[in-house]
Amino acid sequence: MTRPALIAGNWKMNGGLDDLSWADDLVEAFGADGPGVDAALCPPATLIAPFAERLPSWIALGAQDCSQHGEGAHTGDLAAGMLAALGCRYVIVGHSERRSNHGEGDDLVRAKAEAAIAAGLVPIVCIGETLAERETGQAEDVVIAQLARSVPADASAKSLVIAYEPVWAIGTGKTATPEDAQAMHAQIRRAFPGEGRDELRILYGGSVKPENAADLFAMDDIDGALVGGASLEAEDFAGVLRAVR
Ligand code: PEP
């Protein structure tokens, strides 16, 4: 890979205190030094503090969302600074499940990304088209428009990560072909509005698993993965890490 790969697990609303042994299983698989690949785990917020005590240093912690506000009367929300104080390095913003379940649009996603960067976190900004948009030939326009509106104006490639996640591939078992994903990643890199597009890490997300990861990672502009279902089992997550060459 041209850029250092990042493999980030997204547990979504899954997992409890009984599942902290995931960290021990990853240490058993790769030792205390790890596989030499950047890895991150974004557990539900309730598990961030316990995982901070348990994860090896080579697995960074991330959160699945943050508020666009720094503090105040926002019941139920978590400020990016609070997540940073717990030991998070990354935060996912604009995941399609937040966009569809909570009506989050690009302006809000951009404000969250700005709040994350201001708090010293690296936002993983998610963009991706629906099946209807792909079938009607609008995929590229939709994704590039999301990119333009979701990325903070003064962002640089070093300050954030983009995740291209076609909505129709998330949690469905369907994956974009490596060629289709590569084509979109190349467009995203070309259209990145910030500084340093050659260093921008663009992750692919959508039913990535050990069996399909190596073919995706062989593509020039795919710099790793955001992994949902397959991150829940340590063995599967380890398989995706091993697929990085
Ligand atoms: C995700 O949650 O971002 C995701 C890509 O999920 P899955 O790997 O299960 O499709």
Side-chain angles (χ1 to χ4, degrees):
M1 282 196 187
T2 322
R3 289 155 286 272
L6 170 64
I7 309 298
N10 172 18
W11 274 18
K12 312 191 188 200
M13 200 172 70
N14 295 296
L17 292 172
D18 289 350
D19 300 304
L20 297 177
S21 55
W22 185 94
D24 313 331
D25 295 342
L26 266 297
V27 172
E28 201 174 309
F30 296 107
D33 293 338
V37 174
D38 288 352
L41 175 66
C42 304
T46 49
L47 296 184
I48 291 173
F51 262 126
E53 303 282 312
R54 191 95 166 231
L55 284 176
S57 58
W58 57 269
I59 305 181
L61 258 174
Q64 298 175 12
D65 182 41
C66 69
S67 172
Q68 71 275 33
H69 302 292
E71 62 180 353
H74 304 288
T75 303
D77 289 349
L78 294 171
M82 294 171 175
L83 300 169
L86 282 181
C88 286
R89 172 163 169 69
Y90 297 99
V91 60
I92 299 169
V93 295
H95 191 281
S96 70
E97 288 152 16
R98 301 282 324 165
R99 289 178 184 262
S100 63
N101 298 352
H102 298 270
E104 296 192 2
D106 294 327
D107 290 344
L108 179 57
V109 172
R110 188 179 64 248
K112 290 183 174 201
E114 283 166 359
I117 293 170
L121 296 178
V122 176
I124 300 175
V125 181
C126 300
I127 52 179
E129 81 284 0
T130 63
L131 185 57
E133 288 161 346
R134 175 154 286 263
E135 286 178 346
T136 52
Q138 300 175 75
E140 194 181 306
D141 288 350
V142 166
V143 168
I144 298 307
Q146 283 180 347
L147 177 76
R149 291 195 293 253
S150 302
V151 167
D154 54 356
S156 78
K158 284 202 163 76
S159 63
L160 53 68
V161 171
I162 300 291
Y164 167 58
E165 300 207 300
V167 177
W168 48 270
I170 297 178
T172 59
K174 293 182 189 145
T175 320
T177 64
E179 293 74 19
D180 283 350
Q182 162 60 26
M184 190 65 87
H185 280 226
Q187 289 297 334
I188 292 169
R189 189 176 307 288
R190 262 194 287 278
F192 180 65
E195 298 260 301
R197 63 177 59 122
D198 287 343
E199 290 159 78
L200 178 68
R201 294 206 276 193
I202 308 175
L203 312 185
Y204 172 78
S207 300
V208 174
K209 46 191 184 226
E211 296 75 24
N212 59 23
D215 288 345
L216 288 159
F217 298 160
M219 298 289 135
D220 281 353
D221 289 288
I222 299 183
D223 307 310
L226 183 54
V227 186
S231 69
L232 291 170
E233 296 297 330
E235 197 184 322
D236 291 339
F237 192 68
V240 176
L241 285 167
R242 282 193 197 97
V244 177
R245 303 266 149 75

